[in-house]
Amino acid sequence: MKLYTYWRSTAAYRVRVALHLKGLPFEAESIHLVKGGGEQHGESYRALNPQGLVPALVTDSGVTINQSMAIMEYLESQYPDPPLMPSDPIEQAQTRAMAQMVVADVHPLNNLRVLQYLKKQGWEQDQVDEWYAHWIHQGFSALESMVQDRSTVFMNADYPCISDICLVAQIYNANRFDVPLTDYPTLLDINEKCLKLEAFQKAQPENQFDAVV
Amino acid sequence: MKLYTYWRSTAAYRVRVALHLKGLPFEAESIHLVKGGGEQHGESYRALNPQGLVPALVTDSGVTINQSMAIMEYLESQYPDPPLMPSDPIEQAQTRAMAQMVVADVHPLNNLRVLQYLKKQGWEQDQVDEWYAHWIHQGFSALESMVQDRSTVFMNADYPCISDICLVAQIYNANRFDVPLTDYPTLLDINEKCLKLEAFQKAQPENQFDAVV
């Protein structure tokens, strides 16, 4: 399998964790999201993924799958062991819901292309930072209240699931923007537990071959 | 099952279609998203769904599931017939990816709470409309290029899937904002086919008990 990735992309980060948790070998190709206006907008990458976003996974049979959630669901269906979701249907639904709360309601608002758009509208960095933090707090406060009384080690199970993966990638991003996260002790605790695992460490942005740190 | 819904919510619209396509009876409770600052922010609804967004589905066993994609996946797993996804793993992945392209990369940017935020920043209606249209065009142009050469009746199969459901709800929303969609003939064609089906008609915003038209 081949993953089109960028070290700082939180969506690519999610898929890297999933691949490493499942112990799946993959080739990584870097798509630089900033250099020269962004390689993701180039013709060759658009031919592969018309949306011009990373990640994209090319399967062993040569088919491209875009969208991190779709890729993780695909990996889960094809390589179920170890699982990234509980088997109970309700627990599974809640796992997906928590993942979507990040994937659909936090990350898209704070994505590079959106922040670029706002700056083009004349927003100062302060205004952009406030916007960024607002959506983190909206999403994280809901997530914190949903997980604070849970008895599981991670968000939805005693092993990391897609919800945890999405959380960890988003916390990395929030830290980049210096958003204070002290109101979310349970989320921070889960993040810490995840980052002790080798799969998460291998997937961390600063440990990627294309990282500039 | 009980669905917390609002007639104009595109995310609730998705779930209504899924329920009707599967022929599942449900009780609908309206959460008015505008009146009095929005009932979704009230204490009683937040207790049910801490995110304060619709839809939320309460299952027969009394558990709440939020996030439209998680709800549709839950319905698919529990009531597989008729399916809302192809059975082939790659086709399934592409169906999920196309759904996510709307759910994660178009809709969250054009959601009520986001437009309200931008207006609070002093944006004029023109500027908000331009923002709205921008993300529709970004998402729809990628989707159009992905489906234009397909041989299936709908986006991913000869029956409507979650991808079609997400598309139809988003086109309804785009029409509200008068976004010209003539560049997306395949998407419009699929939309038209869907709207001929009874399940979509039953789920349409203007046909809801809480609609104000």
Side-chain angles (χ1 to χ4, degrees):
Chain A
M1 286 187 286
K2 183 171 179 176
L3 181 69
Y4 288 85
T5 177
Y6 181 64
W7 65 291
R8 265 186 166 169
S9 156
T10 57
Y13 186 1
R14 293 172 201 148
V15 175
R16 294 195 303 259
V17 176
L19 286 162
H20 286 304
L21 279 171
K22 288 183 177 291
L24 297 167
F26 63 98
E27 184 191 339
E29 181 159 335
S30 181
I31 299 294
H32 202 297
L33 298 190
V34 185
K35 203 170 62 185
E39 288 177 0
Q40 73 278 23
H41 304 306
E43 235 174 84
S44 64
Y45 187 69
R46 287 265 184 189
L48 195 83
N49 178 5
Q51 218 186 351
L53 296 172
V54 293
L57 182 81
V58 181
T59 67
D60 286 335
S61 58
V63 182
T64 304
I65 305 170
N66 65 322
Q67 287 286 334
S68 64
M69 277 292 277
I71 297 171
M72 291 193 289
E73 293 269 5
Y74 170 77
L75 295 175
E76 183 72 356
S77 75
Q78 296 306 290
Y79 312 94
D81 189 41
L84 300 180
M85 274 194 269
S87 54
D88 174 77
I90 292 283
E91 289 293 322
Q92 204 171 91
Q94 292 178 335
T95 305
R96 285 195 175 104
M98 290 187 198
Q100 286 288 128
M101 286 167 70
V102 173
V103 170
D105 287 333
V106 176
H107 178 249
L109 294 157
N110 289 344
N111 213 348
L112 175 67
R113 60 183 193 153
V114 173
L115 306 184
Q116 284 172 338
Y117 188 110
L118 294 173
K119 282 184 183 170
K120 268 200 191 154
Q121 299 298 306
W123 283 25
E124 300 294 333
Q125 191 59 47
D126 276 7
Q127 207 176 357
V128 172
D129 289 346
E130 205 178 300
W131 160 276
Y132 184 96
H134 178 79
W135 302 116
I136 289 284
H137 291 310
Q138 288 283 315
F140 280 13
S141 58
L143 274 177
E144 176 74 20
S145 76
M146 286 167 87
V147 296
Q148 63 191 359
D149 296 326
R150 292 185 68 87
S151 55
T152 49
V153 176
F154 295 93
M155 288 176 94
N156 302 89
D158 290 336
Y159 49 86
C161 291
I162 55 167
S163 48
D164 304 290
I165 293 174
C166 294
L167 174 71
V168 168
Q170 198 60 52
I171 285 183
Y172 159 78
N173 207 259
N175 285 335
R176 267 186 71 198
F177 282 80
D178 294 323
V179 180
L181 301 178
T182 45
D183 286 345
Y184 319 112
T186 321
L187 302 184
L188 289 178
D189 178 58
I190 290 165
N191 180 59
E192 203 178 310
K193 279 181 197 146
C194 288
L195 291 176
K196 284 187 179 144
L197 303 175
E198 196 189 355
F200 280 86
Q201 289 165 10
K202 278 186 182 170
Q204 277 184 294
E206 57 270 29
N207 295 335
Q208 302 315 296
F209 75 100
D210 59 342
V212 182
V213 283
Chain B
M1 287 187 284
K2 183 170 177 175
L3 181 69
Y4 288 86
T5 178
Y6 181 63
W7 66 291
R8 266 185 164 168
S9 156
T10 57
Y13 185 2
R14 293 173 201 148
V15 175
R16 293 193 304 258
V17 176
L19 286 162
H20 286 303
L21 279 170
K22 287 182 178 291
L24 298 167
F26 63 98
E27 184 191 341
E29 181 160 335
S30 179
I31 299 294
H32 202 297
L33 298 189
V34 184
K35 203 171 61 185
E39 289 177 358
Q40 73 278 23
H41 303 306
E43 235 174 84
S44 64
Y45 187 70
R46 287 264 184 190
L48 194 84
N49 178 3
Q51 218 187 351
L53 296 171
V54 293
L57 183 80
V58 181
T59 68
D60 286 336
S61 57
V63 182
T64 305
I65 305 170
N66 65 321
Q67 288 286 333
S68 64
M69 278 291 276
I71 297 170
M72 290 193 290
E73 293 269 6
Y74 171 78
L75 296 175
E76 183 72 357
S77 75
Q78 296 306 291
Y79 311 94
D81 189 39
L84 300 180
M85 275 195 267
S87 55
D88 175 76
I90 293 282
E91 289 292 321
Q92 203 170 92
Q94 291 178 336
T95 305
R96 285 196 174 104
M98 290 187 199
Q100 287 289 128
M101 286 168 70
V102 174
V103 170
D105 287 333
V106 176
H107 179 249
L109 293 156
N110 290 344
N111 212 347
L112 176 67
R113 60 182 193 154
V114 173
L115 306 185
Q116 284 173 339
Y117 187 109
L118 295 172
K119 283 185 182 169
K120 268 200 191 154
Q121 299 298 305
W123 284 26
E124 298 295 333
Q125 191 60 46
D126 276 7
Q127 207 176 358
V128 172
D129 288 348
E130 206 177 300
W131 159 277
Y132 184 97
H134 177 79
W135 302 115
I136 290 284
H137 291 309
Q138 287 283 316
F140 281 13
S141 59
L143 275 177
E144 176 73 20
S145 76
M146 287 168 88
V147 296
Q148 64 191 358
D149 296 327
R150 292 185 68 89
S151 56
T152 50
V153 176
F154 295 93
M155 290 177 92
N156 302 89
D158 290 337
Y159 50 86
C161 291
I162 55 167
S163 47
D164 304 290
I165 293 174
C166 295
L167 174 71
V168 168
Q170 197 61 52
I171 287 183
Y172 160 77
N173 207 258
N175 285 336
R176 267 186 72 196
F177 282 80
D178 293 322
V179 180
L181 301 177
T182 45
D183 286 345
Y184 319 112
T186 320
L187 302 184
L188 289 178
D189 178 57
I190 290 165
N191 181 59
E192 204 178 309
K193 280 181 198 146
C194 288
L195 291 176
K196 283 186 181 145
L197 303 175
E198 196 189 355
F200 281 86
Q201 289 165 9
K202 279 187 182 170
Q204 276 183 294
E206 56 271 28
N207 295 336
Q208 301 314 297
F209 75 99
D210 58 342
V212 181
V213 285

